Amino acid sequence: MLKAVVAALSRSPPPSSPFTSYATIHDSANFHRVSIRVATFTKMASSSSSSPLPSLNIPNFVSVEGADVHSRTKPDGFRFSFVSYNILAQAYVKSSLFPHSPSPSLKWKFRSSSILEVLKNLGADFFCLQEVDEFDSFYNGSMRNLGYSSIYMKRSGQKRDGCGLFYKHDRAELVLEEKIEYNDLVKSIKDGNSPKDDEESKGQPNKQEDAASNDGPKSNKEDRGDPNDPRVRLKRDCVGILAAFRVKDPSRHVVIVANTHLYWDPEWADVKLAQAKYLLSRLSQFKTLVSDQYECTPEVIVAGDFNSTPGDMVYQYLISGNSSSQIMPECLEEQPIPLCSVYASTRGEPPFTNYTPGFTGTLDYILFCPSDHMKPISFLELPDSDAVDIVGGLPNYSHPSDHLPIGAEFEIIKE
């Protein structure tokens, strides 16, 4: 599959092999699956077909203990919900990249209303969204109307999308934020140094490079420059957000949230690993700053589309500080913050978070720093591969992105 991916970078992807990128919280009273008929699609379908209308799929939060969270006893502390979701930037939506998707489901009018309905019905306290374009024209105002404040970091260069962190301002107060430009890694390169691939490549997909020439034709070689020049190699225009929040409950606990989207290319694993190391280095510095400035021990949650599958070098590095993980010694020595995956530590990593005919696999994660004061008590369920609403690949009428939302509910234990 890798050879097919590499070869396809220089030509238009065939209909049978669409390319996509690799690839968030709910109100505490909203734990039930909701089937929503989107108004814009109703108008489109009613005039052309009398068949049953596809419905938007909103997943449940499932208790770690195997029962509905609200059937449990009284909470031990403050609970908040958290969702990460690569919503698929409209700039990357082309029928040539998603020939398996119903054409109306790729239209911005349909997708924008569908994505907003998903976010509204999940009702999370924190949303970490990736591939957010149309921020000023749509998401900022639409989410504000739902009670969310936001932090947005647009990608560098000519890229149209970025990372968005949305939070309910009646549940948390922003106290400090920093933004990450992974292009800053270029400054660390000395003459004669060149990064080398750290892992065997896997056949993961690409939609960003294929869709990068929206403003005119451009070959991938021209887009990416000389791969042997480390300054060019590390300049991938990827970004991230670090933010510290004080929860609005009597404990006034501080929680740090990181949201990021790492580079997509499986052949450039060294670049993704460099980005992951830079992310955790910055996160460690940010945690120290927050601790000193607010005289606290903050909890830490890291989420995003890491464009890395379970077990590969980036994933191993991210969880290498966790004493229960089995990783290479060189990773363990460098990891500045111990992290666990919510899904791996509760139900196991899902088989996929990105589902298309060209690639199916897990690329999105929610990680947290193990603590005596915070624990995950539920996770957002994901569909099985034979679920009728994902058969044929995403996006479709039931799922407006090629990625699926992942999520968890955390509980901060009373001291």
Side-chain angles (χ1 to χ4, degrees), residues 368-379:
F368 69 101
C369 187
S371 165
D372 293 333
H373 303 295
M374 186 183 76
K375 63 179 181 180
I377 59 172
S378 73
F379 55 84

Side-chain angles (χ1 to χ4, degrees), residues 10 97 135 139-140 161-162 220 262 292 308 311 315 323 325 340 372 409:
S10 60
L97 302 180
F135 174 78
Y139 289 108
N140 190 22
D161 64 304
N220 285 291
L262 302 188
D292 294 344
S308 304
Y315 182 89
S323 60
S325 67
C340 293
D372 293 333
E409 186 182 38

Side-chain angles (χ1 to χ4, degrees), residues 33 59-60 343 347 350-354 362 379-384 404-407:
R33 181 178 299 281
N60 290 337
Y343 283 86
R347 50 143 280 174
F352 56 86
T353 60
N354 179 219
T362 297
F379 55 84
L380 195 64
E381 66 179 353
L382 288 95
D384 295 326
L404 296 164
I406 59 174

Side-chain angles (χ1 to χ4, degrees), residues 305-325:
D305 177 353
F306 293 88
N307 274 326
S308 304
T309 55
D312 74 9
M313 200 61 151
V314 172
Y315 182 89
Q316 288 180 345
Y317 173 72
L318 290 169
I319 65 168
S320 63
N322 172 19
S323 60
S324 65
S325 67

